[in-house]
Amino acid sequence: GASFGYRPSFVKELKGLSFGIARILYKYWPENGFTAHDIFLVVNNFDSSPKNPNGRNDETDQITSVFGRWYFEEAGVEIYSEWARNDFNIDLKEFFQELDHSMAITLGFQKTFDSSNGFWRFGFEHTTLARPRTVELRGTPIYYIHDIVKQGYTHEGQLIGASIGPGSKNQLIRLDRFVDSGKFSFSFQRLRFDDDAFYNI
């Protein structure tokens, strides 16, 4: 994997803004271990050009994401988001024509409120890993799962990625209270596990 982030410091109006891009490739652990070639796949393996007899790139799977955060210090407000894509794109034209293909997205914000002996923090977050309806026209993989890895990619049994799991949707509202003696929290979560399963029946 590789990640690049940037926070402009030369423009006063953009104070608190940061953004970046990340990419991860994952695959079965080879019997003979990884090689130096495997390490650099993340910067040279970007499309679905044929890698095996069935004409598909099945040697590796990938997640590419673009993320950003804007923190307004004076207002105590933070806005953040991440857009990610699970499948290889056919070419650059297809990438821009079908931005929603195999995508996942997280949107969130939080706001702090000062009080006499501490502060409150209110936050909301929405995450969706469910496949978009373009799956009816074009095959779309389920997040963290592959046709040849149907049980999903794991590391020693632990799912790789978001804790809500493949094909799921989540909305979270939380309220935190910070005081000298500690932190107290209340949260409400709506979670639809494996939303993709309904459309696979």
Side-chain angles (χ1 to χ4, degrees), residues 119-134:
F119 66 93
W120 295 88
R121 181 179 65 185
F122 172 79
F124 171 80
E125 184 174 288
H126 166 80
T127 298
T128 179
L129 300 176
R131 291 183 292 183
R133 298 285 30 95
T134 53

Side-chain angles (χ1 to χ4, degrees), residues 70-189:
W70 204 334
Y71 175 59
F72 302 89
E73 184 175 1
E74 294 78 8
V77 173
E78 178 189 17
I79 303 170
Y80 58 93
S81 180
E82 182 176 19
W83 173 93
R85 181 169 181 150
N86 189 38
D87 199 16
F88 288 94
N89 54 285
I90 298 172
D91 52 34
L92 192 60
K93 178 182 177 181
E94 178 273 334
F95 174 79
F96 286 106
Q97 284 181 333
E98 298 184 16
L99 283 174
D100 59 341
H101 173 70
S102 72
M103 80 166 190
I105 191 165
T106 293
L107 302 168
F109 78 92
Q110 53 185 0
K111 162 83 172 133
T112 58
F113 302 90
D114 292 329
S115 65
S116 57
N117 62 340
F119 66 93
W120 295 88
R121 181 179 65 185
F122 172 79
F124 171 80
E125 184 174 288
H126 166 80
T127 298
T128 179
L129 300 176
R131 291 183 292 183
R133 298 285 30 95
T134 53
V135 68
E136 298 173 9
L137 303 174
R138 175 184 174 187
T140 303
I142 298 174
Y143 250 76
Y144 315 130
I145 295 177
H146 193 282
D147 286 348
I148 60 173
V149 192
K150 296 186 182 297
Q151 77 279 7
Y153 289 97
T154 65
H155 175 66
E156 297 182 350
Q158 181 176 344
L159 182 69
I160 295 174
S163 60
I164 62 176
S168 300
K169 293 181 179 179
N170 174 62
Q171 293 84 36
L172 174 67
I173 298 173
R174 65 176 181 267
L175 181 64
D176 304 312
R177 171 67 171 159
F178 295 86
V179 293
D180 291 340
S181 58
K183 170 188 170 184
F184 306 90
S185 300
F186 170 81
S187 64
F188 174 80
Q189 182 180 35

